[in-house]
């Protein structure tokens, strides 16, 4: 916004247009040791400048808090309208953002000087008036300014007035002025509410029954008139006012955040936390590939048969493994930074399983490990290795075990078309549409995602009841003479349930078997292993397939993938070609194909939840591998083994150290 040419007056050599100055960003009015004010105060969590006054040292100030200078500030006239030679960067927009940023951090005089020198004003007086009216709760003065600020669309104007009326209504209720609040509800909110806002209008009317202001704030998810609610209202109203008229607050900071996020997304090996010491405006963000976990540092050799699943404890210090040999092992993985000095102990070998194991899950406090063996669920005390309880509520193979994120219990899913929520009270979802092959609960407790095979009753009962999922054969179709002529087609599905109500939100038919589900930490994405040879990333908010990851091999076995890294920005999976595959989540770029396991499938992978530079994999070669970044030159690759005759609880010690040349490490 161009200022008029400055004209000197008898009081100041600055332009008289600077009698108005919008607010700055920081909090309260402060004085330095000399008594100078930074020109900033704070109201309802919002920062505003002091205007038309004097600072405590007696210096005369203008309306913008800028002390009058003895010499004029000459306006600089530059050719063109763009910044540098870039045709896409408008100089006026850039300068106005700089002015806003200077005020945000408290450099009021510098901002005013830049306004005078450039001839650009941050915003028009009516914008500042509108902002002050909102922050001070002068609703009757704020509403008429909406049209002046460019809100001319009829629907947008209704929405903006509804937001203002809602804030006014809540503040009156908070002040216990029920009669006035009722008038606002009838006169200000009801006339402006659209069909889509009728439900919200009913919810607002129910708030009149709140017992006290604290109950009101809790039920309305609102922090009150003295909190940041008015500032939030300004942010919401910003959507209806042209940004060139009222610049969004802290816009420069938003642009810098977006730039940092873009650079992070383009950094394929990003796996380090963003902090002031690792982030600078003077250089682009990059992560060293050498910090990515792609070297085997430990090999765990105790199982006597294929290892089908692994899971880390929540504190990252223990790893549980499940095997075809009918045992689960709880491993203690030392916290030492250097792998060559780290203890890796098989603390407990859990032998009391009558069938091969399929699933593992740790309780939230890591005190209980749940395992599944065919149709059984076993609960183990992780401190003693003792079996606590055996549950037999499923009729067929248990294919999913997940502890609920709120700590209220755990969930199990089975080929018997049943999902059970084990808690108080226990809840069973019977006769669901699929024979569950895996399931997961979102961390925000909103959804349950299940995958599996469509239900086709087999010719004889129990065909699959005693088979591991990976070995399950589809039911057959008869030719009418009792002879099987081929497999019956399976309808594989992903189903998204509302966890609270059990209602189906989305059901998607998929070609090919679905063997694994993992949910991202932000509850946004579901990662699904899909045979043949694909992994699908589903957006749970938009209910769409966001991305496919290809390269790995999966056609016959259960392969389990997971998210990994500091922001869950990696997708990692085993494969039937004995390799581990790693992709960049946001682009689908294949980053690594990690060799090392022996013959057979790599069945499951698990990323350490505490050490973001460590993950584990397990394989048909009877081993578990721990992978880390190649930080240490000449690092030892270690493994150890014990015989079945040794005690189930192993004492302290690192076990047998093996040199790198003792194994075929695929060239690592």
């Amino acid at each position: 916004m161009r200022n008029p040419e400055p004209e000197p007056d008898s009081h100041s050599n600055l332009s008289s247009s600077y009698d108005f100055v919008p607010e700055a960003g920081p909090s309260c009015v402060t004085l330095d040791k000399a008594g100078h004010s930074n020109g900033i105060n704070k109201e309802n969590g919002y920062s505003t400048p002091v205007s038309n006054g004097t600072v405590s040292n007696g210096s005369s100030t203008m309306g913008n808090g800028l002390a009058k200078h003895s010499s004029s500030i000459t306006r600089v006239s530059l050719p063109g309208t763009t910044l540098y030679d870039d045709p896409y960067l408008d100089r006026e927009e850039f300068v106005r953002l700089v002015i806003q940023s200077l005020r945000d951090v408290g450099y009021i005089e510098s901002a005013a000087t830049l306004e005078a020198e450039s001839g650009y004003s941050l915003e028009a007086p009516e914008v500042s008036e509108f902002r002050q009216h909102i922050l001070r709760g002068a609703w009757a003065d704020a509403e008429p300014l909406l049209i002046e600020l460019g809100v001319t669309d009829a629907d947008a104007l209704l929405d903006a007035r509804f937001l203002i009326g809602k804030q006014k209504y809540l503040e009156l209720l908070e002040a216990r002025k029920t009669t006035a609040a009722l008038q606002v509800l009838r006169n200000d909110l009801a006339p402006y509410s659209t069909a889509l806002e009728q439900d919200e209008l009913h919810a607002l009317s129910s708030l009149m029954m709140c017992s006290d202001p604290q109950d009101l704030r809790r039920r309305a998810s609102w922090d009150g008139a003295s909190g940041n609610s008015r500032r939030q209202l300004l942010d919401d109203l910003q959507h209806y006012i042209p940004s060139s008229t009222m610049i969004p607050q802290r816009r420069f900071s938003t642009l810098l955040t977006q730039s940092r996020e873009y650079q992070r997304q383009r950094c394929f090996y990003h796996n380090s936390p963003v902090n002031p010491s690792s982030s600078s405006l003077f250089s682009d963000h990059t992560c060293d590939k050498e910090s990515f976990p792609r070297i085997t540092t430990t090999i765990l050799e105790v199982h006597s048969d294929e290892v089908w699943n692994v899971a880390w404890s929540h504190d990252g210090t223990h790893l549980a493994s499940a095997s075809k040999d009918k045992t689960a092992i709880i491993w203690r993985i030392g916290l030492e930074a250097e792998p060559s000095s780290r203890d890796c102990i098989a603390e407990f070998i859990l032998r009391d399983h009558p069938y091969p194991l399929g699933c593992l899950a740790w309780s939230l406090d890591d005190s209980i490990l749940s395992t599944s063996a065919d149709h059984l669920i076993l609960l183990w005390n992780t401190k003693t290795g003792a079996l606590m309880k055996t549950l037999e509520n499923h009729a067929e193979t248990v294919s999913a075990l997940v502890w609920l994120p709120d700590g209220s219990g755990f969930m199990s899913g089975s080929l018997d078309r049943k999902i059970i929520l084990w808690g108080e009270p226990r809840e069973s979802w019977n006769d669901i549409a699929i024979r569950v092959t895996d399931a997961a609960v979102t961390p925000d407790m909103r959804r349950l995602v299940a995958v599996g095979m469509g239900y086709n009753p087999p010719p004889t009962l129990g065909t699959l009841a005693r088979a591991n999922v990976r070995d399950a054969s589809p039911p057959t179709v008869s030719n009418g003479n009792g002879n099987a002529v081929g497999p019956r087609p399976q309808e594989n599905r992903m189903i998204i349930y509302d966890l609270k109500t059990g209602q189906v939100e989305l059901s998607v038919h998929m070609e090919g078997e679905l063997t694994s589900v993992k949910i991202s930490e932000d509850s946004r994405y579901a990662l699904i292993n899909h045979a043949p040879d694909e992994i699908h990333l589903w957006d749970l908010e938009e209910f769409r397939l966001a991305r496919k990851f290809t390269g790995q091999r999966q056609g016959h076995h259960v392969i389990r993938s997971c998210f990994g890294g500091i922001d869950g920005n990696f997708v990692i999976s085993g494969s039937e070609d004995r390799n581990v595959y790693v992709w960049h989540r946001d682009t689908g770029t294949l980053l690594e194909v990690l060799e090392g396991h022996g013959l057979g499938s790599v069945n499951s992978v698990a990323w350490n939840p505490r050490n973001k530079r460590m993950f584990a994999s397990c394989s048909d070669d009877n081993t578990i591998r721990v992978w880390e970044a190649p930080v240490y030159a000449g690092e030892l690759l270690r493994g150890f083994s014990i015989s079945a005759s040794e005690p189930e609880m192993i004492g302290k010690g690192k076990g047998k150290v093996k040199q790198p040349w003792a194994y075929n490490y695929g060239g690592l």
Side-chain angles (χ1 to χ4, degrees), residues 359-655:
C359 301
L360 293 163
W362 293 81
S363 64
L364 261 64
D365 62 0
D366 294 329
S367 64
I368 300 173
L369 179 70
S370 57
T371 61
S372 72
D374 198 72
H375 66 293
L376 304 176
I377 299 173
L378 295 87
L379 303 180
W380 304 86
N381 185 320
T382 61
K383 307 303 179 185
T384 65
L387 177 63
M388 300 168 59
K389 196 169 187 178
T390 300
L391 307 173
E392 301 185 49
N393 294 62
H394 286 288
E396 297 189 44
T397 301
V398 175
S399 51
L401 286 176
V402 179
W403 285 81
L404 300 178
D406 65 355
S408 61
F410 68 94
M411 177 274 294
S412 62
S414 168
L415 292 178
D416 63 6
R417 299 168 57 219
K418 184 187 295 184
I419 291 175
I420 301 178
L421 302 176
W422 301 85
E424 293 295 337
R426 188 177 69 198
E427 182 179 353
S428 182
W429 300 359
N430 299 321
D431 299 325
I432 65 174
I434 55 174
R435 296 162 59 82
V436 178
T437 54
D438 200 10
V441 176
T442 58
D444 61 9
M445 291 288 290
R446 292 175 56 198
R447 297 184 172 100
L448 186 152
V449 182
V451 297
M453 303 172 287
Y455 178 63
N456 291 316
T460 59
L461 296 177
T463 302
L464 300 176
R466 293 297 180 266
N468 185 270
V469 179
R470 65 188 292 150
D471 299 321
S473 300
T476 58
V477 178
S478 172
N479 62 4
N481 298 319
N483 300 319
V485 297
R488 178 176 300 175
Q490 296 279 1
E491 185 183 68
N492 302 288
R493 284 194 171 273
M494 175 190 71
I495 303 179
I496 302 175
Y497 295 93
D498 182 296
L499 183 61
K500 184 177 181 180
T501 66
Q503 297 298 310
V504 174
E505 292 187 346
L506 181 70
S507 180
V508 180
H509 168 69
M510 297 184 179
E511 299 292 339
E513 294 184 0
L514 311 175
T515 62
S516 171
V517 180
K518 289 293 186 297
I519 308 295
S520 60
E521 292 182 0
D522 61 2
S523 301
R524 179 67 185 267
Y525 297 105
L527 192 66
I528 299 175
N529 277 72
H530 180 284
D533 307 339
E534 289 183 347
I535 300 173
H536 291 183
L537 183 71
W538 276 85
D539 189 319
L540 299 181
E541 295 299 326
E542 299 182 5
F543 292 150
R544 66 179 181 87
L545 178 62
R547 192 160 290 106
K548 292 182 180 180
F549 305 94
T550 59
Q552 90 292 0
R553 295 291 177 262
Q554 178 180 359
H556 306 286
H557 296 163
V558 172
I559 303 295
R560 303 180 189 274
S561 60
C562 71
F563 294 98
I566 192 73
D567 297 319
N569 52 311
F570 302 118
V571 168
I572 182 170
S573 178
S575 175
E576 292 178 6
D577 62 4
R578 73 182 184 178
N579 295 322
V580 176
Y581 287 75
V582 184
W583 298 265
H584 186 248
R585 188 192 74 181
D586 294 335
T587 64
T589 302
L590 179 62
L591 300 179
E592 299 286 343
V593 179
L594 304 176
E595 301 176 347
H597 277 290
L599 295 177
S601 296
V602 177
N603 300 307
S604 180
V605 289
W607 207 285
N608 191 305
R610 295 297 181 185
N611 183 350
K612 298 300 184 179
R613 296 182 178 179
M614 174 189 288
F615 70 87
S617 61
C618 63
S619 168
D620 287 348
D621 67 3
N622 305 354
T623 71
I624 301 156
R625 286 183 172 238
V626 177
W627 303 78
E628 297 180 77
V631 176
Y632 303 99
E635 193 170 53
L636 290 179
L637 305 179
R638 300 177 295 117
F640 62 91
S641 59
I642 60 173
S643 66
S645 61
E646 292 187 57
E648 296 183 8
M649 183 172 180
I650 310 301
K652 293 182 178 180
K654 292 183 289 184

Side-chain angles (χ1 to χ4, degrees), residues 283-349:
S283 60
D284 292 342
H285 170 80
T286 57
C287 286
D288 189 353
K289 181 179 178 179
E290 296 303 305
S291 298
F292 183 83
R294 53 193 180 89
I295 296 294
T296 298
T297 57
T298 305
I299 301 174
L300 307 177
E301 293 182 287
V302 174
H303 287 293
S304 59
D305 210 330
E306 299 171 0
V307 187
W308 286 348
N309 212 339
V310 286
W312 289 97
S313 61
H314 293 86
D315 65 7
T317 63
H318 289 77
L319 180 69
S321 57
S323 173
K324 187 179 179 181
D325 66 9
K326 303 180 184 180
T327 70
I329 298 179
I330 297 177
W331 308 84
R332 177 167 61 82
I333 308 298
L335 297 177
E336 293 80 6
E338 186 175 351
S340 60
S341 62
R342 181 185 300 135
D343 287 342
C344 294
I345 307 299
E347 284 192 333
F348 302 102
I349 301 179

